[in-house]
Amino acid sequence: MAESANSVDALARLAAVIESRLPARGGDPEKSYVARLLHKGPDAFLKKVGEEATEVVMAAKDADSGGDRSKLVGEVADLWFHTMIALAHYGLKPADVIAELERREGTSGIEEKALRKALAREGGAQ
């Protein structure tokens, strides 16, 4: 459990740095990559999320073919990082994602998907 707590702490520390780069907190786009992305707006950082997701897929395919698995780890780290920028922009934290994963714990993915579809149908019927 200690490793898990340290991992959550690492995400929280990174989230705090990212939040400090928000325009509302005085993040300087001339000095910070994160501030620059945030200053450019959602199109910029969401494009990076998409690019990084594609790079994760490519690295995973390479790993399947006997390629360097550490590249997959690096690409996932890049994806998480850029996703955390998006979370910060929308006023969310890694803890919100962890809470959602904990909420889903013990529920099969098939059940979860069926529940989401049922809720969407109910929402559409209102």
Side-chain angles (χ1 to χ4, degrees):
M1 184 68 176
E3 184 178 328
S4 176
N6 288 337
S7 299
V8 171
D9 290 345
L11 288 174
R13 286 191 305 273
L14 178 56
V17 170
I18 291 169
E19 288 173 20
S20 76
R21 305 301 199 266
L22 288 165
R25 299 223 179 137
D28 185 350
E30 298 296 318
K31 296 181 181 176
S32 165
Y33 170 74
V34 171
R36 188 175 309 139
L37 277 179
L38 288 164
H39 180 74
K40 289 180 180 178
D43 285 348
F45 60 77
L46 295 175
K47 179 179 177 186
K48 286 300 296 180
V49 169
E51 290 171 4
E52 297 302 341
T54 299
E55 290 173 12
V56 166
V57 171
M58 293 174 6
K61 290 290 205 177
D62 288 346
D64 273 345
S65 302
D68 184 359
R69 293 170 61 181
S70 67
K71 288 183 180 179
L72 176 57
V73 172
E75 294 301 343
V76 170
D78 291 345
L79 176 60
W80 285 16
F81 175 76
H82 287 89
T83 303
M84 289 175 66
I85 293 171
L87 288 173
H89 173 80
Y90 295 109
L92 299 166
K93 298 179 181 300
D96 297 311
V97 177
I98 292 166
E100 176 61 13
L101 291 170
E102 288 173 340
R103 183 191 68 76
R104 295 179 185 187
E105 190 174 1
T107 303
S108 98
I110 295 169
E111 291 172 7
E112 177 71 21
K113 187 173 181 179
L115 178 60
R116 280 186 275 140
K117 283 184 178 181
L119 290 172
R121 280 193 302 271
E122 287 177 15
Q126 292 178 359

